[in-house]
Amino acid sequence: MMQSLLRSVCRAGSRGASAKKLLECAATPPAPTQSGPNLSSVSHLRPYRWIRPFGSQILTGDGVPAASGFCVKTLVMRRFSTVGNAEVALEDDDSSSPAVEHPPRIKFKRPDKTARHIMNILNKEAVEKVRSEREIPDVQPGCIIQMRLQVPENKRRESALKGIVIGRRNAGINTTFRLRRLVAGVGVESVFPLYSPNIKEIKILDRKKVRRAKLYYLRDRMNALRK
Amino acid sequence: MAAASRGLLARLRGLPLSRPRLLPPSHLFSAEPLVSHPDDDDGGGGARIIEARSGVMGPSSRRTGVIGVKCGMSAMWDKWGAKVPITVLWVDDNVVCQVKTAEKEGFFALQLGAGQKKEKHLTKPEVGHFRAQGVPLKRKLREFPVTEDALLPVGTTITVRHFVPGQFVDVTGITKGKGFAGGMKRHGMSGMPASHGASLSHRSIGSTGQRDAPGRVFKNRKMPGRMGGVQRTVKNVWVYQVDPARNLLYLKGQVPGPQGSFIFVKDSIYKKPDTTLLPFPTYFTQEGESEDLDPLIADLGDVDPFMAAD
C-alpha cells in the first residue's frame, strides 16, 4: 500500500504544488487540474478525451524538474489520464464516463497490476473485519499458546490445545502458524489459520526468547518437559 | 485502392457515422443515452427492434456471458466454518458493443466489450468499429452466441448481477504458458530411474516406436513441446458470492490463466441453473434499489452440514 499511498499523496495533495512548479518553468496558461472548463478549452484542439497534447507540450518544452522525483513522475504519468479522474483509485466501480465522478475508480495501464491491487485491498479488508470482530493476539514464534478450537467435522466439539508456536507464515487472511504439542506422548505439529472462525480463543501463556523465525530445531530436541 | 475510394465515397455522402468530430467528446464514453434506442438498434437490414426489457427464459434459451479479469485467489470461510477456495474476477464495465442477427450475419450473438482503452493504443479499424457502434473504447471484445430472445441493444451495460450466487458457470480462459515443456510435465510420462545405471536419460520420453516395421514414428506421438497458452474451459464452477458495488465475482476453485488475464464466464451447460432465478436476458437495475449493496452470498442452507452427518 506504500506505493498507492505515495501515489495518492502525490496526485491528490501535491498535484497543485508540483503542477505549479512545472507551470512556472513552462509558463503556459491554465493549471492542469483537469476539470470541466479545462476540457472544453482544449477540446477544440483535439476532440477526443485526453489532454495529452497539452501535457506533452509542457514535457518537451522544458523537461521535468528534478524536485521530488517520484511524485513528479507520477504526476507526469497522471497527466495522460482520464479527464475528471482526479482521485486515486482505491476501489473500482465504473471506469468509463469521465463526467461521472464515482468513488475512486481504478485507472490502469496494466491489468495484472490492477488485479493484484484489488486482491491486496480485499485481503486487507477481510483481515480488518476479522480483527474487529475477534481479539487475536500477536502470535510469534516462541510463544506458548493455549487455544480453544472448534472442529466442525468432529461434531463441533471444542478442543483445548496447548503447544509452542514454531513458525508463522504471513499471507493476509490466510496467515497460518504451526503449533507443536505433545499429544499422548507423541510430538504433533499442526497448522492453523490465524483468522479462522473455528478458533474460538487464543491465550498466550509465555513468550520465549528465540533468535529465529522458524524453530524447526525443536524437532530434534524433544524434551518431555517442553510444551 | 478500394479502401480509399470507399472512404472517399463515405465522405462525399456525408454519412453521419463517419463524422464523429461533431459529437462532443463525452459522447464516446457515456453509454446511457444509447441504452434502448430503438432506432439505433437495427441489428440487421430489416426493422428489428431490440429493447432492454426483461423476458421469460425458456428451456432452450441461452443468455450472454460476461468478460472478467482474473484478480487472484484467496480463501473464505462460509457461514458453517468450512473453508472455500475463492477466485476473484473483476467484471469491469461490460458493454454490448455489437449485436449480430440472423438477417445480417446469419446467427444471433452479442459482442461484449470489457475494460477501457485509450484511443492512441487502438488501431484505426478498431476505433472506427467503436465509433460506428457508438460505444466507449474497450480493451477486450468477445462474442457470445445467444438465442434470439436474449438479444440486448447496443450499449447495454452488463453487471455482475447477471449471475446469481449459487449457480454453476463455465469459465474459459487462456492458460498460463509453461514454455517448452518436457514429456514428464507435458504428458505425465514417468521418466526413468534416477540411479541403477540409467545413463543421461532420467526425464526423457524413452522409445518412440518399433523398428523396421513400420520404420517411422506415428503421428500424434507424445513428445516435448510448447505447453500452456491455449484456451481451456473449466466447467461447473460454483458462484459463491457476487459483489455488485465493486463488480466482483467470487468463484469457488480454480480458473485458467494468470492474474490479470481476461476470463469469459457463461452459464453452465451441464448443471443447468433454475431458469426462474436467473435475470433474463440480463439484470436491469430497478429504480428503488440503492447503488451500494452488500455482497450476495450463495445460499448454503439452514442445516449445518457437519452436524447432519451423524
Side-chain angles (χ1 to χ4, degrees):
Chain A
M1 286 304 265
M2 267 307 292
Q3 208 189 7
S4 65
L5 274 174
L6 264 175
R7 256 192 257 148
S8 66
V9 160
C10 293
R11 282 186 222 152
S14 69
R15 167 162 280 174
S18 17
K20 272 193 213 129
K21 273 194 213 141
L22 286 173
L23 284 177
E24 279 159 19
C25 308
T28 40
T33 51
Q34 301 181 352
S35 51
N38 199 25
L39 164 65
S40 54
S41 70
V42 291
S43 64
H44 66 280
L45 290 175
R46 217 159 277 253
Y48 306 104
R49 21 175 162 172
W50 317 109
I51 308 194
R52 188 189 342 135
F54 176 63
S56 59
Q57 280 166 22
I58 291 198
L59 263 191
T60 52
D62 71 327
V64 168
S68 70
F70 179 75
C71 281
V72 168
K73 228 192 294 179
T74 50
L75 172 69
V76 157
M77 278 186 344
R78 289 303 143 237
R79 270 142 169 264
F80 294 62
S81 66
T82 326
V83 175
N85 189 11
E87 303 293 319
V88 71
L90 278 184
E91 195 49 68
D92 58 293
D93 255 304
D94 253 313
S95 34
S96 69
S97 167
V100 184
E101 193 62 48
H102 275 263
R105 197 168 30 212
I106 288 235
K107 206 216 79 54
F108 61 87
K109 292 181 183 177
R110 287 179 52 176
D112 53 343
K113 278 190 178 170
T114 324
R116 281 193 202 107
H117 190 44
I118 295 177
M119 285 309 289
N120 251 341
I121 294 171
L122 289 179
N123 229 342
K124 281 203 174 20
E125 282 182 5
V127 169
E128 281 306 314
K129 186 159 162 272
V130 174
R131 276 199 170 265
S132 66
E133 283 168 17
R134 277 204 298 276
E135 171 63 44
I136 297 176
D138 180 32
V139 284
Q140 291 295 328
C143 298
I144 305 205
I145 291 259
Q146 162 132 33
M147 51 188 266
R148 283 193 298 130
L149 182 72
Q150 192 193 59
V151 183
E153 285 89 357
N154 205 5
K155 298 188 201 59
R156 302 218 172 254
R157 257 177 248 152
E158 286 231 352
S159 31
L161 310 171
K162 191 158 92 163
I164 184 168
V165 174
I166 58 171
R168 174 194 165 122
R169 171 192 184 262
N170 294 315
I173 188 98
N174 301 317
T175 305
T176 53
F177 63 95
R178 287 181 93 101
L179 194 71
R180 185 176 176 84
R181 54 198 169 104
L182 275 180
V183 173
V186 179
V188 168
E189 272 179 29
S190 354
V191 175
F192 299 104
L194 191 55
Y195 299 114
S196 159
N198 297 323
I199 296 182
K200 295 301 172 197
E201 194 193 336
I202 301 184
K203 244 187 320 193
I204 302 185
L205 304 172
D206 191 16
R207 257 183 221 276
K208 293 208 177 301
K209 179 171 186 281
V210 285
R211 304 196 57 159
R212 214 143 246 98
K214 306 282 190 299
L215 317 175
Y216 297 145
Y217 62 87
L218 291 178
R219 293 173 186 161
D220 304 321
R221 300 174 59 194
M222 274 310 293
N223 296 11
L225 302 171
R226 283 198 183 275
K227 292 180 290 279
Chain B
M1 299 299 292
S5 62
R6 197 172 55 211
L8 208 52
L9 282 175
R11 268 167 224 259
L12 291 175
R13 268 188 244 129
L15 279 177
L17 291 178
S18 63
R19 286 279 180 218
R21 288 187 189 151
L22 299 176
L23 298 170
S26 58
H27 171 75
L28 286 173
F29 312 106
S30 52
E32 283 82 16
L34 298 162
V35 169
S36 66
H37 234 240
D39 308 323
D40 293 345
D41 294 337
D42 232 283
R48 176 185 282 274
I49 299 179
I50 308 166
E51 282 167 10
R53 248 190 307 118
S54 14
V56 180
M57 189 167 175
S60 61
S61 308
R62 290 250 168 281
R63 315 190 288 164
T64 64
V66 141
I67 305 178
V69 177
K70 177 174 173 179
C71 288
M73 290 193 72
S74 178
M76 296 172 79
W77 285 274
D78 65 9
K79 68 176 184 181
W80 300 120
K83 204 163 183 192
V84 181
I86 292 282
T87 309
V88 179
L89 293 193
W90 176 34
V91 174
D92 175 24
D93 251 9
N94 280 23
V95 168
V96 175
C97 288
Q98 191 184 358
V99 182
K100 300 197 172 177
T101 52
E103 291 106 27
K104 196 158 175 223
E105 282 93 2
F107 57 94
F108 294 104
L110 287 182
Q111 186 186 74
L112 292 196
Q116 59 184 71
K117 201 132 184 192
K118 294 186 187 177
E119 190 184 323
K120 67 171 178 173
H121 292 136
L122 286 172
T123 63
K124 283 194 181 175
E126 287 173 351
V127 172
H129 170 66
F130 289 116
R131 198 183 294 162
Q133 302 291 333
V135 289
L137 304 171
K138 293 290 174 193
R139 191 174 272 258
K140 188 86 182 169
L141 290 175
R142 164 89 178 203
E143 211 177 275
F144 292 98
V146 291
T147 48
E148 192 177 346
D149 45 356
L151 288 173
L152 289 166
V154 171
T156 317
T157 318
I158 299 195
T159 61
V160 122
R161 295 203 68 170
H162 184 77
F163 294 111
V164 168
Q167 75 165 103
F168 289 95
V169 289
D170 290 344
V171 181
T172 307
I174 312 274
T175 54
K176 278 184 174 175
K178 308 272 190 297
F180 194 96
M184 287 179 79
K185 189 180 185 72
R186 197 174 185 225
H187 297 297
M189 300 183 172
S190 38
M192 257 140 261
S195 73
H196 291 304
S199 46
L200 307 176
S201 54
H202 303 287
R203 297 183 65 96
S204 75
I205 53 180
S207 162
T208 53
Q210 297 81 26
R211 211 190 192 228
D212 263 353
R216 63 189 178 98
V217 179
F218 292 135
K219 281 196 182 290
N220 293 331
R221 171 109 230 131
K222 293 186 180 176
M223 286 190 169
R226 181 169 280 193
M227 179 176 160
V230 287
Q231 177 174 297
R232 290 280 183 259
T233 305
V234 177
K235 297 211 172 97
N236 301 334
V237 179
W238 190 54
V239 176
Y240 176 70
Q241 189 173 322
V242 157
D243 193 346
R246 295 168 167 180
N247 296 335
L248 295 176
L249 193 62
Y250 293 71
L251 302 176
K252 176 179 173 186
Q254 302 91 328
V255 140
Q259 283 189 343
S261 61
F262 285 101
I263 301 291
F264 313 109
V265 190
K266 297 192 319 191
D267 294 328
S268 172
I269 308 179
Y270 292 124
K271 292 201 181 166
K272 292 191 186 27
D274 194 0
T275 50
T276 51
L277 295 174
L278 301 178
F280 187 81
T282 187
Y283 182 84
F284 301 114
T285 40
Q286 272 84 45
E287 279 108 33
E289 285 187 353
S290 60
E291 262 287 319
D292 309 309
L293 289 173
D294 291 329
L296 312 163
I297 309 186
D299 184 25
L300 292 154
D302 295 322
V303 183
D304 187 356
F306 297 110
M307 298 301 267
D310 290 353

